[in-house]
Amino acid sequence: MKRSKIFAWMLAVLMVVTLFAGCSKPAPAGETSANAPAKKIKVGLSLPTQREERWVRDKEKMEQVAAEKGIELIVKVADANMQEQITQVESLLTQGIDVLILAPHDAAAAATLVEKANKEGIPVISYDRLITNTDKLDIYLSFDNVKVGELQGKYITEKVSEGNYIIMSGAPTDNNAKLFKAGAMKYIQPLIDAGKIKVIAEQAVENWVPENALKIVEAALSANNNEVDAILAPNDGTAGAAIQALAAQGLAGKVPITGQDAEKAAAKRIMEGTQSMTIFKDTRELGAAAIDIAIQLANGEKVATNGEVDNGKIAVPSVLLEPKIVTKDNLKEVLVDSGYISEADLK
């Protein structure tokens, strides 16, 4: 009789446990088996500036794509100040980001930021500007920047194969500037060596600031009695400044000049005939690719690359997009028809 009572009691306990187990709440869709919400990917973005139109476009595109894909994007802008960028990135690393997209103001100084991110297990995408002197960099995303310079150099030497040249390069702290110049000099240097081109000024433009380019061109014109036949300008901002200096001497439109970035103001100058060309690097493609790669890295997936670029320490796995040359002949087809700028921008 006692054994029957014990058995009945154990059966009652089992029924109660089963009842409560059956009433447990199932995990809602989108949650893990441990009832924890699915983790949203968080990406940190550090940009060097918003002073130039192209960097504004980069930021806008990445924000748009991140929103479309449900990615939390935390954006910081260093305003051409490396110490500010260091502070901002260090802050991003404390905010639980899964990936860091870093466009450095100073390519070499940014290496310490990559090292810090690596220690936190956070992969880094070097965005458009290559971060140098670190073996911890995960991916470099940009355009073929040597090719950019080659397009500029080939164009200007075909326009002017003999004469006085002003050669400007971008900021010394930007590794891309070295690549642009190296590409251009493949075409210019042989003509210098042959005595056909005389370089009357050759200088880097500090921080890419147009006012610095203006001073370089003004000084060169003054020292050479306005006798200049061609100007290698590394981007549209410096080209605009050079054209301002030329205009003051009545030379605007008479001296072939290169550019880069396909800014609206540059496109207008090309149509007016004061700037000869620009290089189109579609930042819509670049920004979208950055978010896609960030998602892949956050998910531990392998990123498909199409090249490697030496950063002084390692050959960095790279995703390199193709730049395009834009002149008056193809500007509407390349820039307007693609929706990058509008017809109204040219007026």
Side-chain angles (χ1 to χ4, degrees), residues 75-95:
V75 183
K76 300 290 183 182
V77 178
D79 196 27
N81 184 316
M82 191 60 215
Q83 188 52 55
E84 181 67 18
Q85 188 164 49
I86 289 171
T87 300
Q88 290 176 348
V89 170
E90 288 176 344
S91 173
L92 286 172
L93 296 179
T94 67
Q95 295 182 52

Side-chain angles (χ1 to χ4, degrees), residues 38-318:
K39 186 176 182 294
K40 185 175 185 178
I41 294 174
K42 185 185 291 188
V43 175
L45 170 61
S46 175
L47 294 173
T49 182
Q50 289 283 274
R51 296 181 186 183
E52 296 163 338
E53 180 185 313
R54 64 94 6 132
W55 289 109
V56 175
R57 288 179 179 268
D58 290 77
K59 176 176 175 288
E60 289 174 348
K61 186 61 180 180
M62 281 188 269
E63 287 175 333
Q64 175 198 330
V65 176
E68 290 171 354
K69 301 200 171 187
I71 305 302
E72 182 180 351
L73 185 68
I74 307 173
V75 183
K76 300 290 183 182
V77 178
D79 196 27
N81 184 316
M82 191 60 215
Q83 188 52 55
E84 181 67 18
Q85 188 164 49
I86 289 171
T87 300
Q88 290 176 348
V89 170
E90 288 176 344
S91 173
L92 286 172
L93 296 179
T94 67
Q95 295 182 52
I97 61 172
D98 300 293
V99 179
L100 173 64
I101 301 172
L102 174 56
H105 170 66
D106 185 317
T112 58
L113 298 175
V114 176
E115 305 283 337
K116 289 179 180 180
N118 181 262
K119 287 180 181 178
E120 300 292 330
I122 299 169
V124 178
I125 301 169
S126 184
Y127 183 81
D128 198 46
R129 294 179 175 180
L130 181 64
I131 300 168
T132 59
N133 297 323
T134 175
D135 60 0
K136 305 301 183 189
L137 188 58
D138 295 273
I139 292 286
Y140 174 46
L141 169 64
S142 188
F143 289 83
D144 185 336
N145 291 311
V146 174
K147 178 73 177 291
V148 169
E150 289 174 350
L151 291 173
Q152 291 176 325
K154 184 174 187 292
Y155 178 89
I156 200 73
T157 53
E158 286 179 350
K159 281 285 185 182
V160 181
S161 59
E162 296 185 45
N164 291 344
Y165 266 57
I166 295 173
I167 296 176
M168 293 188 288
S169 54
T173 54
D174 183 353
N175 190 70
N176 282 3
K178 299 173 187 176
L179 301 179
F180 300 146
K181 187 177 181 184
M185 295 307 286
K186 286 184 181 181
Y187 291 88
I188 298 172
Q189 191 62 50
L191 296 175
I192 294 174
D193 296 341
K196 293 183 177 181
I197 287 177
K198 178 184 177 182
V199 179
I200 61 173
E202 184 172 2
Q203 194 169 336
V205 180
E206 196 71 28
N207 281 339
W208 294 96
V209 174
E211 287 78 5
N212 294 335
L214 176 65
K215 292 174 184 177
I216 292 169
V217 177
E218 285 178 335
L221 291 174
S222 177
N224 293 276
N225 298 314
N226 289 342
E227 294 178 5
V228 60
D229 299 294
I231 299 177
L232 179 76
N235 72 346
D236 290 339
T238 55
I243 291 165
Q244 182 182 340
L246 291 172
Q249 303 302 320
L251 296 173
K254 298 178 182 179
V255 180
I257 182 167
T258 60
Q260 177 186 182
D261 292 332
E263 293 184 352
K264 293 174 184 176
K268 187 175 181 181
R269 290 194 297 265
I270 289 171
M271 295 305 291
E272 292 170 346
T274 57
Q275 183 169 327
S276 307
M277 58 86 81
T278 188
I279 301 296
F280 179 42
K281 302 187 301 181
D282 195 338
T283 52
R284 296 170 298 183
E285 294 180 17
L286 198 69
I291 299 301
D292 286 340
I293 292 171
I295 292 170
Q296 292 173 56
L297 291 173
N299 290 331
E301 300 169 5
K302 183 175 177 58
V303 177
T305 59
N306 62 352
E308 292 181 336
V309 178
D310 185 1
N311 77 340
K313 285 282 188 178
I314 59 170
V316 183
S318 303

